[in-house]
Amino acid sequence: MNNRWLAAGAVAVMLSSAVGSVIAEAAYEEPSDILITAGSAELGKDDMNGDTVVEIPVYISNNPGFTWMDLIFTIDDRLRFDSEKEIAFDDHKIAGVYMVRCDESGKSIYASLDVSDEMENGRFTENAEICRLRIIVPGNTPGGSYPVEIKKNLRHYEASIYTYDHEDAMFGTECFSEPVSGSIKVNKPIVTEPPHQDPPPPEQNTPGQGGQSVRQGGNSNTSRNESSNASETQNDTENKAVTTQAATKVTTSEKVTVTTALSSGKTETATTVSTTKKADETSASVSETTDDTGRKQTAVKGNILLPVICGAILFLVAAVGLASRKRR
């Protein structure tokens, strides 16, 4: 009797186990096309004051819901993870992150995200940000773009997801689409150039009046005015010279009479010396010149014939007087 109950109990246990396994397999359907995406950041070189911490968000889409997830992050060699807190997250959604460095360089980390019990049924079911990578950009980083990658596998590390808190609800890399990586862009310093100015026109020397050169290029109006003034001055000088020459052509005459009376009264001798001269022969020649300062000077050249004639007349008067005295 007892053996029968034992046999029946054993059969019941076996049947219940088989039914339970069938139900478990049916409950945890394998997900697919889970997409993990990294965001990007941009900063200017002029805004960097030494080393700068940049946070890169990580998103999930086509989310089947999970209680645990393993991901791999790799950054450029010129960047580094913040040693104080490599990954930031919302405490109400993620209870904690467990990390392992994939190599000695420290540029790749294997992170496991544990969902908080505050989430409904302890599962993260949103298509939203799941965490933020905290990355340090050194102050001497040159301008450029530096990748922040998400990988499904690296060496013996692989991405995985637990859709439920059960061993049978774990799925591997085959459930993920190819991740989308992000980047950090460092802009080059802004260089302000002075405004463009046209070069001044070249100076040219052109021959002017009187063998002098007139400089052109800077102020053409000034050059034309100076040339016009020089021409007017020359014309005034020529007109004055013509007027002076015309004035010297006027003919004048002089008559000089010398009378000597004899004391005897019988004989009266008059000697008359008449002289007529033309202004164009005896008159003084007048010339006008202009010095460098513009002042006019007049030079009068005396005619040497006038004193000679006067001397001859005096000589004749003296001779006549002497002759009259001898007659007495």
Side-chain angles (χ1 to χ4, degrees), residues 67-118:
T67 59
W68 184 284
M69 181 181 293
D70 300 320
L71 297 173
I72 304 169
F73 303 108
T74 301
I75 59 176
D76 187 86
D77 290 339
R78 294 181 179 176
L79 310 177
R80 67 177 185 270
F81 287 103
D82 185 4
S83 58
E84 294 183 2
K85 192 172 186 180
E86 293 88 343
I87 298 179
F89 48 86
D90 185 349
D91 296 339
H92 299 288
K93 297 179 180 181
I94 303 297
V97 178
Y98 308 93
M99 292 174 292
V100 176
R101 298 191 179 275
C102 300
D103 53 31
E104 295 180 358
S105 68
K107 306 300 181 182
S108 299
I109 58 175
Y110 179 73
S112 300
L113 286 75
D114 185 13
V115 177
S116 172
D117 292 337
E118 295 184 23

Side-chain angles (χ1 to χ4, degrees), residues 204-272:
Q204 298 179 354
N205 292 331
T206 58
Q209 296 181 356
Q212 297 180 351
S213 62
V214 179
R215 179 171 296 176
Q216 299 178 350
N219 191 342
S220 59
N221 293 332
T222 303
S223 300
R224 288 196 294 268
N225 292 338
E226 292 177 355
S227 176
S228 177
N229 294 336
S231 177
E232 292 175 0
T233 303
Q234 183 177 2
N235 292 336
D236 292 343
T237 304
E238 292 176 353
N239 293 335
K240 291 180 181 180
V242 172
T243 303
T244 304
Q245 292 177 0
T248 59
K249 291 182 180 181
V250 178
T251 304
T252 61
S253 64
E254 279 185 9
K255 186 175 182 179
V256 180
T257 304
V258 179
T259 304
T260 303
L262 298 178
S263 61
S264 61
K266 297 180 179 180
T267 306
E268 183 175 349
T269 304
T271 304
T272 301

